[in-house]
Amino acid sequence: MTQDMSGVGEHYAATGVVQRIRAALASLGPEDRPLTPRELGTMDQFHTRGHAATAELAELAGIESTDRVLDLGCGIGGPARLIAASRGCRVVGVDLSEGFVEAARYLSLRTGQQQRVQFHAGSALALDFADASFDVVLLQHVAMNIADRPRLYRQIRRLLARGGRFATYDVVRGDGEVLYPAPWARDARDSFLLDAQATRETVEAAGLRVRAWLDDTPAARSWAAQLKVAAAAATPATPGLGVVMGPDFPLQAGNHARNLLEGRVGVLMAVFDAV
Ligand SMILES: C[S@@+](CC[C@H](N)C(=O)[O-])C[C@H]1O[C@@H](n2cnc3c(N)ncnc32)[C@H](O)[C@@H]1O
């Protein structure tokens, strides 16, 4: 299947994102006061269940301080910062969006983590790291933007060293039509969902074997139900993803909640061993 990456690129183009983030963070204190990853709120965790999901995925993958970790489709770097801080490792992030990479570097300066996390612009489908460069590859809410899954998972397998783990947390196809715009795509042309079983078969065909497998859909539905309550009460206490994604984000988030609650999509958390 071929894919025009420009649609995905446009969806995440994020012009002026550093200025918007700087303005949103001004209420937390002066520019030179170091921030903790937690103070960034939900703004830099661009996936279902935010910080909690990242922490659970890191635990499931058994990330240790000596592991070399690659976060593919790292967004503005929230998962990389959280994992570097909580597991004591170094993390390299790669993202298609140059605006997101710029924001990831800015936020890592604000949290004082620029020695532990590094970010590069690039495509997950064309990475020039040497074979076996990493012990863990993370992929959180990215696969649904990628049509050529066999190539994606082969790339990931190539990058993993002996004993390496691939940790994925992604939206999967459920029953019924998906409502758009979703947080990952304006319409169906930029969305390439597989169901959980097809995801497993495609990953395993690339030379990886399942080690841990969790249907995260029930937890995701509870989270979505709480989001709807919070949205109705209009009580955003910390900076949110709207800062990054702009004024359409409430509509995208509302559709994501409906897609989850109505079973149109599910969420999969899984870890695979390189074999
Ligand atoms: C929903 S966001 C998730 C960001 C991050 N993983 C997180 O959980 O906070 C999806 C990200 O995948 C990136 N992306 C999509 N297709 C990509 C590709 N082919 N290569 C690298 N990044 C890609 C987007 O630019 C976007 O930042």
Side-chain angles (χ1 to χ4, degrees):
M1 198 185 314
T2 57
Q3 177 182 4
D4 173 9
M5 293 305 294
S6 62
V8 174
E10 277 170 30
H11 179 66
Y12 295 113
T15 48
V17 69
V18 171
Q19 289 88 325
R20 290 202 299 277
I21 289 172
R22 185 179 279 132
L25 295 180
S27 63
L28 297 180
E31 185 82 13
D32 58 358
R33 178 174 81 73
L35 298 171
T36 64
R38 289 267 166 202
E39 280 180 290
L40 300 177
T42 55
M43 183 173 68
D44 68 349
Q45 302 284 325
F46 196 167
H47 52 261
T48 311
R49 298 205 300 111
H51 284 117
T54 300
E56 287 165 28
L57 187 65
E59 181 65 25
L60 204 62
I63 297 178
E64 296 181 357
S65 59
T66 50
D67 282 331
R68 298 161 294 170
V69 179
L70 173 66
D71 187 10
L72 276 185
C74 61
I76 64 170
R81 281 185 293 277
L82 193 65
I83 287 172
S86 60
R87 317 294 294 193
C89 57
R90 291 177 186 274
V91 184
V92 175
V94 172
D95 200 278
L96 204 54
S97 164
E98 294 193 3
F100 281 7
V101 168
E102 193 192 343
R105 290 177 181 148
Y106 168 72
L107 285 170
S108 303
L109 278 173
R110 293 291 306 262
T111 59
Q113 287 177 285
Q114 63 275 25
Q115 306 297 329
R116 313 293 304 175
V117 291
Q118 286 184 345
F119 298 99
H120 307 285
S123 168
L125 295 172
L127 296 163
D128 53 13
F129 298 111
D131 292 0
S133 297
F134 296 96
D135 303 299
V136 178
V137 176
L138 298 169
L139 190 76
Q140 282 187 285
H141 281 43
V142 180
M144 63 264 204
N145 279 129
I146 296 182
D148 193 346
R149 296 290 188 93
R151 180 167 163 189
L152 171 69
Y153 298 133
R154 281 198 305 271
Q155 277 278 340
I156 290 169
R157 174 65 190 88
R158 180 183 77 73
L159 295 173
L160 282 170
R162 183 186 289 270
R165 286 92 72 207
F166 166 47
T168 185
Y169 184 61
D170 255 298
V171 179
V172 292
R173 181 172 292 289
D175 295 319
E177 289 294 306
V178 177
L179 305 173
Y180 296 99
W184 67 91
R186 286 167 302 182
D187 56 45
R189 285 173 296 182
D190 294 328
S191 182
F192 306 96
L193 296 172
L194 296 180
D195 66 26
Q197 184 57 28
T199 302
R200 179 174 180 153
E201 286 165 12
T202 314
V203 173
E204 292 200 329
L208 296 143
R209 287 292 168 271
V210 76
R211 164 195 182 118
W213 183 264
L214 285 174
D215 178 1
D216 198 56
T217 311
R221 284 194 184 139
S222 303
W223 170 86
Q226 283 166 16
L227 268 193
K228 287 185 83 164
V229 172
T235 52
T238 53
L241 268 166
V243 174
V244 179
M245 292 302 285
D248 285 349
F249 189 70
L251 177 62
Q252 299 167 9
N255 280 339
H256 187 41
R258 265 192 72 189
N259 284 327
L260 283 165
L261 292 169
E262 295 172 9
R264 298 164 191 269
V265 301
V267 181
L268 168 69
M269 183 178 284
V271 176
F272 296 81
D273 286 316
V275 290

